[in-house]
Amino acid sequence: MLHTIYIQLLDEGTAVWRPVSAERLPDGRYLLPSSKQEDEEWAYPPGSIVECAERTFGDGTKALVALRPA
C-alpha cells in the first residue's frame, strides 16, 4: 500500500521536504520510489528502505518524514 512520506532535499539553502509515494512494508519501514527528478538531491537514494517518524512542520501540519536508512 502506498503512503505519502516526506524526504528532505539536500543543497537547497533551506529545509525543503519533497512528498513522495512510498510503499509501506510489513515491518513498518518504507520503500522509496525508484526514480526522482534529475535536478533534486534526496537525503536517501531512490529505491532505499527508510525508517519514518511523524514530524510537525512550521505551519503546524504533521506528516511522516524519512529519518534514516533502514
Side-chain angles (χ1 to χ4, degrees):
M1 178 180 231
L2 294 177
H3 294 266
T4 299
I5 67 168
Y6 287 76
I7 187 166
Q8 189 167 17
L9 299 182
L10 304 177
D11 301 327
E12 295 293 319
T14 186
V16 177
W17 295 85
R18 161 72 60 215
V20 298
S21 292
E23 181 182 351
R24 186 171 192 269
L25 302 175
D27 62 5
R29 299 178 302 164
Y30 291 84
L31 175 63
L32 295 178
S34 59
S35 63
K36 64 175 182 65
Q37 292 189 24
E38 287 185 29
D39 63 339
E40 293 181 344
E41 184 65 33
W42 288 4
Y44 310 104
S48 295
I49 296 174
V50 296
E51 295 179 7
C52 293
E54 187 174 78
R55 176 189 170 135
T56 302
F57 290 95
D59 64 359
T61 61
K62 294 181 179 183
L64 284 177
V65 299
L67 290 181
R68 62 185 151 271

